[in-house]
Amino acid sequence: MASKMPEKPDHQKFRVVGKRGVPGSLSYPIATGRAKYPRDLVFPDMLFARVLRSPFARAKIQRIDTSQAEALDGVKAVITWDDPELRAMPMPYPASKTPVLSNQAGREGDEVGVMVAAESEELCDEALKRIKIEWEVLPHILDPREALDPDAPVLHPEAKPSNVDLVNNWEDGNVVAGFQECDHVVEFDYAAPLTTTFHSMPLTIISKWEQDPMDSEGPILYTPPLYRDKGLAVAREAFQLPWAQVRPITLYVGASYCDSDPRRVSRLVPLLAKRTGRPVRLAYTRREVFDVAGSQVYAHVKVGFNNDGIILAAHGKTIASSGVESDIERSTTDLAAFRMTKALHIKNETTYVYTNTARGAYLRGFPASSDLLARAIHSIAEQLNQDPTETLLKNMHTPEPSVKECLEKGKAAIGWKWHPAGTRKLANGRMHGMGFRMRDSHGWGSTTAISLKLKTDGKVYMPFGSAYFGVFGQDALAMVVAEEVGARLEDVVVQMDPVAPFSFIVGGSGIGSTAYAAQQAAIDLKAKIMAAGAANLKVKPEQVDTKESTVYLKADPSKTVPFKSLVSDAVGQLGSLNSLWQGPTPTRYDGTLRKLGPVNIIFGEVEVDTEIGQVEVTQMIGVADAGKVLRPSSFEGQLEGCMVWTISKAKTEDYIFDKATGVLLNGSTLEYKPATILDIPAMQTITVETRTGGGVYGSTGAGENFWDQSVISSAVFNAIGKWIDNPITPDKVLKALGKA
Amino acid sequence: MRRFDHLNATSIQEATSALKNKSAVFIAGGTDLIGRLKDEILPGYPELIVNLKTIQGLDYVHEEGGLLKIGAGTRLADIAADPIVRLRYTALGQAAGRAASPHIRRMGTLGGNISQLHRCWYFRAPQNRFECLRKGGKTCFALAGDNRYHSIFGAVNGCIAVHPSDTAPSLVALDARIKTTKRTIIAEDFWDVRVASCTVLDTDEIVTEVQIPAPDVGARSAFVKFALRKSIDFPIVNAAVFVGGGAARICLNAVAPKPYRATKAEQVIAGKSIDSRNTGAAGAAAAADSRPLEANRYKVQIAKVLVERALLECASAA
């Protein structure tokens, strides 16, 4: 079905959409613990599993003897990498040609060589200890800059001749000529560390095979769907099963922060369950969750601008880590954010390289691009003694009022009063700073399906078959359906149904587009309802409308027919009215499902104790133009989550390795130090609705780039006049100030 | 976590006797021990865990005979909330209230807090990944590795791990005594650096009580801590000071393998007015003997400032 861009509606006329105080359909089970996540599930006769984790950053198993493990009482399966069924599975990371399990480890903690299933986790651990392994320890690379050294070991020689994973080079205009037009040039280096995807609940894979009494096709595999149902997709591939034979073992997956990597264990655990004929559970430890991370980035950027502060040219060279391997396309660590400015000459050179660190992933937004722009804007403003919010506005080429309105609302909320860097000392002796970061965030459309059914109880049922990971997106869709159908909100039932048509929702950016599908299905259903109602009232469909779950005669609203009396009247034995909409949601400019994104601007205020190098974040304000906010609490929750992680990334998060061995030294919450509630300052979210996105009612989604980290570094720059890369720890601050 | 036997001891004698036939460890709040066992950081694993919390009479705070007496099994949260501690032994109250997190303070005991093992991410790496000096090995991996949080006052027995207790420097500053099943130890002499141990305690020796002499009228004490997070974080540096009767006692922790008594700083400030000039000099003196490594040089600056601020806090409380 073809998509069409909707007209921007009058925001004042909504009856349900945008309403506050609407509990989520799953709020009660989640709040009470009735919701069962994979980690909560227990099945009779269940086995436990472990996969061997490499103690070395890069190593090869030369010889393995599993006989003592197999002989251990209670051990039910030991499978090594040379197992034929395992070897036949598609590669999870085809770009680096790494198989589901091999005898080579590419990072400390990598799954390698062998997995076991036993009656307890303790037995699994004991079995792994009894396996005799002869390792060949190989040289490793932790720093992506070293990966390009001609003498560096090539990490995936079977796939690539060097450690270059991919190159993202492009040029708009002519950057050499562009710089010749500039009055000033500012250059800076930028670095961002590896940061973990940090599942709040460590990943757990629990799989079982069962013969479905309703299905003669063969055994059904039940396994966790994971983020975006990828857990099901890779299991289908691995075991060459049709859709109907791989089903979610639960629809609860827990927060995963854009971590779309289903891991090797999504194939390994079902295999163990298949071999043993019993349910098998593999639960990650907290340390094991550090297996996937956002890119480690090193950039050098040169920005040319005129006397007015307008950027004319920008040139960036970036080296970023793909980690040991990656299953995603990475193309956002670049100067793309500069395309929001009036600059005509932009040149980007980004090289992604393999290292012996965590697998590369999208992570809580795309960090580097808007960080680089923020650093440029604040640096230019400082050099020209301008308020950086003015510098930003001057540079934006967007014709719409979004940026200006977001800036003004944010400035008013935080009490913005710009001062040159390092010039405002507070009464408590600390240095005061404010900064901000603006981003025309990414936002994605999707191919999706929504089906609706009006049943004889007068309620509209919306089966939803996609994993539920916490933004209450389904409830936003229910509001749209109620709005369009003319039903009471309580008469729209979100029915979590593992075999429902695919209904795709991604975090903060995708609800608006999936809701477009819900709207289209609802429009279709409403037409059928009105036809049935009109027949009941013995008038033409155009003479009726719907409200409060009834059809009424427009000329005489006292004449009504409740929805519940329509269904059997209309279709007799079938007992329901149906609609289905499926297809791609609206897209914008490049045909890649990317739709008009939200503008979001985040402001931060800091106090820097220059004696001990401590940064205190005192205030954060998030302003976002999402076109149309469907469910305010979902929207605000997304933004608040982003701001919390902004602080965490700015102040503490980093992967710290022992350079000699490549062993992760801070692979625990205690050592990795995500922000605690006491580290979070007063926060405020502000909604702006000026844009017209490709989602329903012009929605753009909330976006994720609030997780950019440059807002805090910009504020610290304003406080002390020094740029400090994340995490902004006391050693770096004191060193920058010449005190360490 | 591996399996082990568990004994709820009902008396000190039962607890110590239980050690005779098995490899055993004591547990009180367990907030350090359980993590160690889960991560299997040590090469050995106890067969038996002896619970001290079931022994009656180890949980109390009261003044008696010119001493504040605190049972070793007293929880940190109770010490932090005790009005006498807060008023007269302020440094200890502040330290107990700043340690770990609310949850852990409601489990962790004073005896456990001072007996916890060192913090070093090589020593504490799971699965005994680094067989360091403290595990009977021959190498201090931190010395050549990442030592940003390690000692700025050199090694003890070759180890540069730091002792992380928040209450320990307060006890040294307050001139406490640690009473055990075998003896009474001056707080300053309580800590040591040995294989898999951070105290002078014998393996079958149990801390039973902490005694602090009642301070003179007009004496003040304070504790300050610097950590990356405001909760559930070990100190990068902490400092406790006591001033009164013309004397001063100053102790830093997380800067050395043992709580570091800053005697030079004490000499600088003793008997002098507590003003920014004198406290600055005391802070500088506290770090005068530091020997930082390249990655932890910043801790020297923090140590200086914390001593200065703790002293000024005493002045402001006066």
Side-chain angles (χ1 to χ4, degrees):
Chain A
M1 194 178 294
S3 305
K4 60 178 186 292
M5 294 291 282
E7 295 293 318
K8 189 167 180 64
D10 181 348
H11 286 169
Q12 303 306 313
K13 289 186 177 173
F14 289 101
R15 182 178 53 85
V16 181
V17 167
K19 194 175 168 184
R20 290 185 172 276
V22 179
S25 55
L26 298 176
S27 297
Y28 184 81
I30 289 172
T32 58
R34 211 174 68 201
K36 297 299 176 196
Y37 296 85
R39 214 168 178 87
D40 301 322
L41 297 176
V42 176
F43 295 106
D45 216 23
M46 187 172 77
L47 292 172
F48 298 83
R50 287 271 199 230
V51 59
L52 181 68
R53 301 270 178 183
S54 172
F56 307 106
R58 185 163 169 254
K60 186 173 184 178
I61 295 176
Q62 293 289 15
R63 207 182 316 270
I64 188 167
D65 177 359
T66 61
S67 55
Q68 286 192 28
E70 290 171 58
L72 193 61
D73 194 27
V75 171
K76 298 299 177 187
V78 177
I79 298 178
T80 53
W81 76 89
D82 51 359
D83 180 271
E85 189 172 7
L86 199 54
R87 287 167 63 94
M89 290 181 183
M91 289 183 180
Y93 309 104
S96 52
K97 293 191 177 174
T98 44
V100 177
L101 197 64
S102 80
N103 64 336
Q104 296 190 52
R107 63 178 181 85
E108 188 251 339
D110 209 359
E111 306 93 331
V112 61
V114 60
M115 56 182 165
V116 298
E119 299 287 355
S120 70
E121 285 187 337
E122 183 192 2
L123 269 173
C124 291
D125 290 337
E126 183 59 31
L128 289 177
K129 282 176 186 158
R130 291 187 181 204
I131 293 173
K132 292 178 183 169
I133 299 172
E134 191 179 306
W135 294 96
E136 179 188 3
V137 180
L138 301 166
H140 62 267
I141 303 167
L142 300 175
D143 187 326
R145 294 168 297 186
E146 293 172 6
L148 292 174
D149 189 316
D151 295 328
V154 177
L155 302 185
H156 295 293
E158 63 285 359
K160 306 276 172 69
S162 72
N163 288 319
V164 175
D165 174 19
L166 60 88
V167 173
N168 179 28
N169 290 347
W170 49 265
E171 183 170 8
D172 294 346
N174 182 327
V175 79
V176 174
F179 276 109
Q180 288 172 354
E181 298 170 16
C182 299
D183 299 316
H184 311 274
V185 170
V186 62
E187 289 191 62
F188 56 85
D189 291 313
Y190 165 93
L194 286 170
T195 44
T196 178
T197 46
F198 209 85
H199 291 235
S200 44
M201 183 185 301
L203 184 74
T204 299
I205 302 295
I206 179 164
S207 305
K208 61 175 181 171
W209 297 78
E210 285 185 358
Q211 190 69 43
D212 185 349
M214 305 295 289
D215 192 330
S216 60
E217 292 298 314
I220 310 294
L221 169 62
Y222 293 90
T223 198
L226 306 182
Y227 182 70
R228 287 161 46 185
D229 296 325
K230 276 200 163 186
L232 307 182
V234 299
R236 277 194 293 271
E237 281 179 11
F239 296 95
Q240 299 176 39
L241 293 171
W243 267 77
Q245 282 176 247
V246 180
R247 299 180 188 173
I249 203 160
T250 172
L251 287 175
Y252 291 102
V253 298
S256 53
Y257 305 123
C258 290
D259 179 349
S260 63
D261 187 334
R263 295 357 189 236
R264 293 187 163 100
V265 290
S266 285
R267 294 93 166 169
L268 299 178
V269 177
L271 180 61
L272 284 167
K274 185 179 175 186
R275 292 288 170 84
T276 59
R278 292 168 65 176
V280 175
R281 175 188 193 266
L282 184 147
Y284 266 39
T285 64
R286 171 56 67 188
R287 182 177 178 82
E288 287 166 355
V289 176
F290 287 85
D291 61 348
V292 168
S295 265
Q296 185 182 6
V297 176
Y298 295 93
H300 181 80
V301 178
K302 181 179 172 186
V303 180
F305 52 100
N306 66 17
N307 287 327
D308 206 25
I310 308 288
I311 298 171
L312 303 177
H315 185 189
K317 292 183 179 179
T318 303
I319 298 172
S321 170
S322 295
V324 59
E325 61 222 348
S326 181
D327 75 332
I328 58 153
E329 182 187 344
R330 299 156 303 282
S331 57
T332 49
T333 304
D334 58 21
L335 292 190
F338 284 76
R339 284 173 161 165
M340 292 186 292
T341 72
K342 293 170 181 168
L344 298 175
H345 309 287
I346 308 169
K347 185 174 183 179
N348 184 77
E349 297 173 77
T350 302
T351 303
Y352 284 86
V353 297
Y354 293 118
T355 59
N356 296 110
T357 62
R359 291 186 200 109
Y362 292 140
L363 172 64
R364 312 181 217 157
F366 307 126
S369 190
S370 52
D371 278 0
L372 300 177
L373 179 60
R375 195 167 284 202
I377 292 290
H378 283 79
S379 298
I380 292 166
E382 188 65 27
Q383 195 163 327
L384 298 179
N385 202 31
Q386 278 180 356
D387 181 328
T389 61
E390 293 171 16
T391 312
L392 177 71
L393 267 183
K394 284 180 187 177
N395 275 284
M396 291 296 102
H397 63 54
T398 175
E400 55 187 324
S402 194
V403 176
K404 191 166 191 295
E405 187 163 338
C406 288
L407 270 179
E408 286 175 354
K409 288 194 169 176
K411 285 167 70 174
I414 202 167
W416 179 267
K417 193 177 177 185
W418 181 74
H419 55 75
T423 60
R424 187 173 171 205
K425 192 169 191 175
L426 299 167
N428 61 13
R430 296 174 178 176
M431 299 303 293
H432 173 270
M434 275 188 180
F436 67 95
R437 190 277 297 121
M438 175 263 168
R439 174 72 181 168
D440 174 359
S441 171
H442 70 291
W444 301 95
S446 59
T447 296
T448 193
I450 293 288
S451 70
L452 300 173
K453 185 177 284 191
L454 177 67
K455 294 193 177 181
T456 52
D457 57 2
K459 294 181 186 294
V460 178
Y461 286 78
M462 181 172 65
F464 208 88
S466 188
Y468 182 80
F469 55 88
V471 289
F472 290 84
Q474 293 88 330
D475 300 293
L477 269 57
M479 295 170 85
V480 170
V481 170
E483 186 80 47
E484 292 292 339
V485 171
R488 290 187 294 261
L489 181 58
E490 58 268 31
D491 289 339
V492 178
V493 180
V494 178
Q495 192 177 19
M496 300 302 284
D497 179 355
V499 294
F502 183 60
S503 320
F504 180 78
I505 280 191
V506 295
S509 57
I511 293 173
S513 61
T514 310
Y516 174 85
Q519 182 198 32
Q520 299 304 309
I523 289 170
D524 184 38
L525 181 64
K526 181 180 178 181
K528 291 173 180 171
I529 288 172
M530 291 209 304
N536 186 287
L537 292 167
K538 299 185 171 39
V539 295
K540 293 179 179 174
E542 54 268 30
Q543 292 176 275
V544 299
D545 205 343
T546 58
K547 66 176 180 182
E548 297 295 304
S549 302
T550 61
V551 179
Y552 68 95
L553 189 62
K554 285 194 272 191
D556 180 5
S558 68
K559 291 186 176 171
T560 62
V561 185
F563 283 4
K564 66 186 297 183
S565 67
L566 292 177
V567 182
S568 55
D569 290 345
V571 291
Q573 292 181 340
L574 189 58
S576 61
L577 284 174
N578 301 297
S579 72
L580 170 68
W581 192 93
Q582 58 189 340
T585 54
T587 60
R588 76 164 177 174
Y589 55 72
D590 56 5
T592 59
L593 297 181
R594 190 172 181 195
K595 62 186 178 59
L596 181 62
V599 162
N600 54 45
I601 301 184
I602 183 168
F603 288 85
E605 182 182 45
V606 300
E607 293 180 6
V608 180
D609 185 332
T610 57
E611 292 300 305
I612 54 175
Q614 190 172 37
V615 174
E616 174 95 22
V617 182
T618 53
Q619 200 180 175
M620 288 188 86
I621 307 291
V623 195
D625 188 344
K628 174 62 190 169
V629 175
L630 306 178
R631 186 171 186 272
S633 54
S634 290
F635 176 77
E636 289 160 3
Q638 172 78 2
L639 304 191
E640 285 171 5
C642 293
M643 285 195 276
V644 167
W645 283 112
T646 293
I647 292 169
S648 208
K649 289 174 82 169
K651 290 190 65 178
T652 48
E653 291 188 63
D654 191 1
Y655 276 55
I656 301 170
F657 294 100
D658 174 56
K659 288 195 172 75
T661 60
V663 171
L664 182 64
L665 295 174
N666 63 337
S668 68
T669 46
L670 188 62
E671 298 289 2
Y672 186 74
K673 305 181 193 299
T676 71
I677 195 69
L678 293 181
D679 301 301
I680 307 302
M683 297 192 306
Q684 184 183 349
T685 58
I686 298 173
T687 304
V688 172
E689 294 182 337
T690 71
R691 296 201 126 189
T692 305
V696 65
Y697 312 131
S699 165
T700 63
E704 296 160 2
N705 282 309
F706 270 75
W707 278 333
D708 289 350
Q709 24 210 343
S710 54
V711 60
I712 304 301
S713 58
S714 300
V716 169
F717 171 72
N718 184 238
I720 63 172
K722 305 285 183 186
W723 283 109
I724 298 174
D725 291 319
N726 289 340
I728 307 170
T729 45
D731 52 332
K732 293 182 189 172
V733 176
L734 290 173
K735 197 167 186 178
L737 295 170
K739 294 181 180 178
Chain B
M1 201 171 207
R2 297 192 218 173
R3 289 175 186 273
F4 48 78
D5 293 332
H6 185 269
L7 171 69
N8 283 329
T10 55
S11 69
I12 293 288
Q13 188 181 10
E14 184 185 9
T16 51
S17 299
L19 268 63
K20 286 179 182 161
N21 298 320
K22 286 183 174 179
S23 68
V25 291
F26 298 122
I27 187 170
T31 57
D32 185 35
L33 179 68
I34 295 298
R36 278 155 41 195
L37 296 181
K38 281 179 79 172
D39 284 344
E40 299 187 21
I41 69 170
L42 297 175
Y45 208 85
E47 298 170 276
L48 171 68
I49 290 184
V50 181
N51 183 13
L52 303 178
K53 272 199 162 178
T54 46
I55 300 173
Q56 297 293 311
L58 289 178
D59 177 6
Y60 54 84
V61 182
H62 61 252
E63 285 187 310
E64 180 186 333
L67 294 173
L68 175 74
K69 295 184 175 180
I70 306 175
T74 309
R75 299 178 308 170
L76 296 177
D78 293 334
I79 295 169
D82 189 278
I84 295 174
V85 174
R86 288 159 64 105
L87 182 67
R88 287 160 60 83
Y89 310 87
T90 311
L92 178 60
Q94 290 173 328
R98 185 67 179 84
S101 66
H103 186 180
I104 292 173
R105 291 196 292 272
R106 284 173 176 78
M107 294 178 68
T109 63
L110 182 60
N113 189 261
I114 60 176
S115 304
Q116 65 183 301
L117 287 184
H118 287 84
R119 299 309 299 186
C120 167
W121 40 28
Y122 292 93
F123 175 66
R124 287 183 178 261
Q127 309 296 320
N128 187 26
R129 180 63 180 79
F130 297 97
E131 192 184 16
C132 71
L133 291 172
R134 302 294 301 286
K135 300 174 184 176
K138 294 179 179 172
T139 306
C140 172
F141 294 91
L143 206 54
D146 195 309
N147 45 42
R148 69 184 72 185
Y149 299 140
H150 288 70
S151 172
I152 56 172
F153 286 100
V156 175
N157 297 338
C159 173
I160 59 168
V162 293
H163 195 270
S165 168
D166 282 321
T167 58
S170 299
L171 297 182
V172 173
L174 293 168
D175 198 18
R177 302 290 185 273
I178 315 292
K179 192 176 170 191
T180 76
T181 46
K182 294 184 176 178
R183 53 190 157 155
T184 298
I185 307 165
I186 297 170
E188 199 179 336
D189 298 334
F190 180 72
W191 291 275
D192 197 359
V193 178
R194 305 190 303 198
V195 172
S197 174
C198 69
T199 71
V200 296
L201 295 177
D202 297 333
T203 52
D204 62 345
E205 189 174 10
I206 300 170
V207 175
T208 56
E209 184 177 273
V210 171
Q211 302 174 342
I212 304 174
D216 296 338
V217 174
R220 297 282 182 272
S221 67
F223 168 86
V224 291
K225 172 177 177 175
F226 180 79
L228 292 185
R229 299 190 296 184
K230 290 182 180 172
S231 184
I232 196 160
D233 210 1
F234 286 100
I236 285 178
V237 181
N238 63 20
V241 303
F242 170 89
V243 288
R249 292 175 65 89
I250 299 173
C251 186
L252 293 153
N253 208 11
V255 294
K258 298 196 270 188
Y260 178 81
R261 177 129 178 238
T263 50
K264 287 185 178 172
E266 292 172 0
Q267 290 161 13
V268 166
I269 200 71
K272 293 188 183 155
S273 63
I274 302 177
D275 55 33
S276 59
R277 190 167 61 89
N278 289 334
T279 57
D289 294 331
S290 63
R291 287 174 285 137
L293 302 158
E294 181 58 34
N296 66 17
R297 195 173 300 278
Y298 71 102
K299 290 178 66 168
V300 175
Q301 167 70 13
I302 295 172
K304 286 180 193 173
V305 174
L306 259 52
V307 167
E308 192 176 339
R309 289 182 180 177
L311 286 166
L312 288 170
E313 193 171 317
C314 288
S316 65

